[in-house]
Amino acid sequence: MSYSVAVAGASGYAGGELLRILADHPDFEIRTVTAGSNAGSPLVDHHPHLRSLAHLMLQETDAATLAGHDVVFLALPHGASGAISSQLGDDVLVIDCGADHRLASASDWAAFYGGEYAGSWPYGVPELPVEDGKQRDALVGVNRIAAPGCNASSVSLAIAPGIAAGLIDDSDIVAVLAVGPSGAGKSLKTTYLAAELLGNAVPYGVGGTHRHIPEILQNLRAAGAPNPAISFTPVLVPMSRGILATVTAPLKPDVTVEQVRAAWTDAYSGEPFVQVLPAGRFPRTSDVLGANTALIGVTVDPAVNRVVAIVAIDNLVKGTAGAAIQSANIALELPETTGLSVNGVAP
C-alpha cells in the first residue's frame, strides 16, 4: 500500500530533510509541498539537491491544501501547527515537527513559548526508556505524533537509561551541547551569519531559558525521575548540522562502572538507531552525518562519582525528520526502519 504525503513548511531545513528521506521511502508518495512566503515557487529553487522532486511546486499552507492526504508532516514555526492540525480529520496521520504538541503542561508552554496551548500528542522518540517500557508502545496506531526537539531528544537518550535503572541522582544533571545552526531554521539572524559563526562558539539559551528544558524534564520524569533538575547549556559551533551532547549526573553510592555500562547497553539492546559504543569509545558528529543514528559513549568519572554520557546525532535527521518518519512507520505498523539509514556520509 502506498500512502499519500503532504509536507508543510517544505522550503525550510526540516521540511527539506523530510523530503530527502521521504523521496526514497517505498511506502510514501509525496504529492503536495507547501510553504509560507515561498509559496508559488518551485521546490527545487529552495532545495536544489532534491533533484527527484524538481517537478513539485510549493503551494499555500492551509488546511484545505493539506486535507485529503494519508500522512501530513508539519515543519512549521512554533505556534503555527495547532490551528492547522485541528482542521485535519482523524483519518489523517499528522506528525508535527514543531513544538506545538510536545509539552503535556500548559503552564510550561506559557512559560517557555507563550500563545495558545494546543495540547499534547504522543511523543516521537521511540527508543526513549519510560517506566513501563519504551516510548514506541505509545505510537502504534495513533493518528497524531509530536516529533521531538533535537536538543531534547539527544539529552534524554543520553541520560534516561541511568534514571530508568535507578543508578543516578537526578537532582544534579548537567548537559552541555555543541550544536549546528541548522537547528534554528533558515531565518536571517546576525548570530547565524558565517562572519559571526565561523571560527567562533556562541552559547545561547543560557541560565535555564532554553525552550527544550521542559521537554527534557518531561522525558526524564517519564523515565522514572520523580523531580529531575538540569543545568542545560547549548553552544552554537561552526558546523552546518549535528549535535554533540555531553551529559553528566552524580551516581548513587556504590554504583560501579560495570553497572553503568550494563544499564546503557541493556536499554538500547536491539535498537537499530541508538547504539552504545564499546568502553572507551566516544562518538563524533561526523559519524552520524545524514543518518538516523544516535551514537552514545558512556563512562564514569571516579574522581567525582559522576556518569558521563556523550551522544552524537544529526539534528536534522535523528533530531527531527528521521525521528518523525520512524514514528510514522510505527504508527502505520510498517517496519520501523523503512526508508531510514544507519549509515552516515564521510568525509
Side-chain angles (χ1 to χ4, degrees):
M1 177 178 178
S2 179
Y3 296 92
S4 61
V5 173
V7 175
S11 61
Y13 289 137
E17 197 67 3
L18 281 165
L19 292 167
R20 182 182 73 85
I21 301 170
L22 289 167
D24 292 324
H25 194 295
D27 298 302
F28 290 156
E29 178 191 352
I30 303 166
R31 292 189 184 172
T32 303
V33 291
T34 77
S37 61
N38 293 319
S41 60
L43 174 72
V44 75
D45 283 0
H46 306 278
H47 297 299
H49 60 298
L50 298 179
R51 305 313 303 175
S52 69
L53 303 178
H55 60 287
L56 293 174
M57 295 288 293
L58 291 166
Q59 302 180 46
E60 295 286 344
T61 298
D62 54 45
T65 303
L66 299 173
H69 297 83
D70 298 314
V71 185
V72 174
F73 292 91
L74 303 176
L76 303 172
H78 78 266
S81 298
I84 290 177
S85 63
S86 67
Q87 300 176 62
L88 299 175
D90 291 342
D91 58 336
V92 182
L93 171 58
V94 183
I95 302 95
D96 184 10
C97 294
D100 287 24
H101 300 96
R102 294 173 188 159
L103 298 182
S105 166
S107 61
D108 281 346
W109 176 265
F112 284 84
Y113 290 92
E116 185 175 353
Y117 175 60
S120 65
W121 292 353
Y123 188 66
V125 180
E127 305 90 349
L128 187 68
V130 296
E131 285 192 279
D132 54 353
K134 291 288 185 70
Q135 180 62 22
R136 66 166 47 83
D137 298 333
L139 300 174
V140 178
V142 302
N143 60 15
R144 297 291 188 270
I145 295 171
C150 53
N151 294 320
S153 59
S154 65
V155 172
S156 301
L157 288 169
I159 203 66
I163 291 173
L167 301 182
I168 69 171
D169 174 359
D170 56 47
S171 67
D172 182 23
I173 300 169
V174 177
V176 179
L177 285 66
V179 182
S182 59
K186 279 189 174 180
S187 58
L188 292 176
K189 296 181 181 179
T190 302
T191 304
Y192 308 130
L193 296 175
E196 300 291 330
L197 191 56
L198 292 180
N200 202 4
V202 183
Y204 67 104
V206 177
T209 62
H210 196 281
R211 287 170 168 166
H212 287 179
I213 289 174
E215 184 180 344
I216 295 169
L217 295 176
Q218 178 175 287
N219 293 344
L220 301 186
R221 286 191 293 269
N227 190 28
I230 187 167
S231 172
F232 174 83
T233 307
V235 180
L236 284 175
V237 296
M239 56 185 182
S240 62
R241 56 164 84 196
I243 294 174
L244 188 72
T246 301
V247 187
T248 76
L251 292 168
K252 292 181 178 178
D254 302 319
V255 172
T256 67
V257 66
E258 290 79 16
Q259 288 175 296
V260 166
R261 286 205 53 83
W264 266 255
T265 55
D266 289 350
Y268 298 125
S269 175
E271 293 288 357
F273 298 123
V274 180
Q275 302 172 15
V276 178
L277 298 176
R281 298 285 297 275
F282 300 95
R284 309 171 301 176
T285 55
S286 61
D287 300 333
V288 296
L289 182 65
N292 192 52
T293 309
L295 295 181
I296 301 176
V298 61
T299 191
V300 171
D301 182 345
V304 290
N305 195 40
R306 294 181 75 93
V307 65
V308 180
I310 300 176
V311 61
I313 66 169
D314 184 323
N315 59 292
L316 292 177
V317 188
K318 187 56 178 163
T320 307
I325 293 167
Q326 182 183 348
S327 298
N329 286 340
I330 295 170
L332 296 170
E333 300 187 51
L334 299 171
E336 187 171 333
T337 59
T338 305
L340 298 164
S341 178
V342 296
N343 297 323
V345 177

